[in-house]
């Protein structure tokens, strides 16, 4: 069982930056360094969508087209923590952001590919 807790959300003006963190814990003897991890988001009235992902070895990263060049995903396996640095934020980035993890994901863009989900952190970008 894996528990994921997001932090760092809040209200920010358009053009500014925000960093989300996700602290992971597991009762297993294995650390989360062996898990693929990522971020999804869900805006009011919209379906949950993929934002970014990072493989367990931390080399391969994927981003949604809407955030490429603005968002950066990273991880600190020693701290079991995932990050999402969000720059040049836009009002359309307003959503609840979810941290996700899975031992191995075939298609990172699919919600069904991820076994563990956090409770979510609200990010609101104002004009």
């Amino acid at each position: 069982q894996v528990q994921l807790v997001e932090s760092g959300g809040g209200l920010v003006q358009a053009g500014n930056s925000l960093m989300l963190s996700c602290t992971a814990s597991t009762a297993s003897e294995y650390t989360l360094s062996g898990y693929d991890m990522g971020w999804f988001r869900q805006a009011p009235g919209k379906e949950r969508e993929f934002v970014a992902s990072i493989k367990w070895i931390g080399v391969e990263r994927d981003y949604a087209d809407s955030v490429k060049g603005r968002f950066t995903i990273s991880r600190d396996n020693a701290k079991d923590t995932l990050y999402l640095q969000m720059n040049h934020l836009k009002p359309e980035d307003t959503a609840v952001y979810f941290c996700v993890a899975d031992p191995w994901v075939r298609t990172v863009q699919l919600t069904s590919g991820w076994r563990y989900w956090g409770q979510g952190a609200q990010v609101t970008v104002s004009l």
Side-chain angles (χ1 to χ4, degrees):
Q1 188 69 20
V2 174
Q3 291 79 44
L4 303 171
V5 179
E6 302 93 339
S7 61
L11 174 63
V12 63
Q13 282 192 320
N16 286 346
S17 301
L18 203 61
M19 175 178 272
L20 297 179
S21 298
C22 171
T23 302
S25 61
T26 173
S28 168
E29 64 183 276
Y30 301 106
T31 70
L32 286 167
S33 60
Y35 283 67
D36 294 341
M37 299 190 76
W39 294 94
F40 279 71
R41 68 185 182 185
Q42 187 166 21
K46 295 188 177 181
E47 294 199 353
R48 201 165 291 188
E49 64 176 5
F50 169 78
V51 176
S53 65
I54 184 168
K55 289 293 186 179
W56 67 275
I57 57 175
V59 175
E60 184 178 340
R61 307 177 192 198
D62 289 283
Y63 295 94
D65 288 342
S66 58
V67 306
K68 274 181 185 175
R70 299 189 299 122
F71 290 12
T72 301
I73 188 170
S74 62
R75 65 192 295 167
D76 186 337
N77 287 337
K79 297 181 179 179
D80 281 338
T81 301
L82 178 72
Y83 303 99
L84 185 68
Q85 177 66 45
M86 304 182 291
N87 298 329
H88 306 294
L89 282 161
K90 304 175 182 179
E92 49 264 45
D93 294 319
T94 295
V96 176
Y97 283 71
F98 297 91
C99 174
V100 293
D102 195 277
W104 183 78
V105 181
R106 180 184 296 275
T107 306
V108 297
Q109 294 83 0
L110 298 179
T111 57
S112 59
W114 299 89
R115 187 177 313 177
Y116 301 107
W117 291 74
Q119 293 298 307
Q122 177 69 48
V123 172
T124 303
V125 184
S126 63
L127 289 170

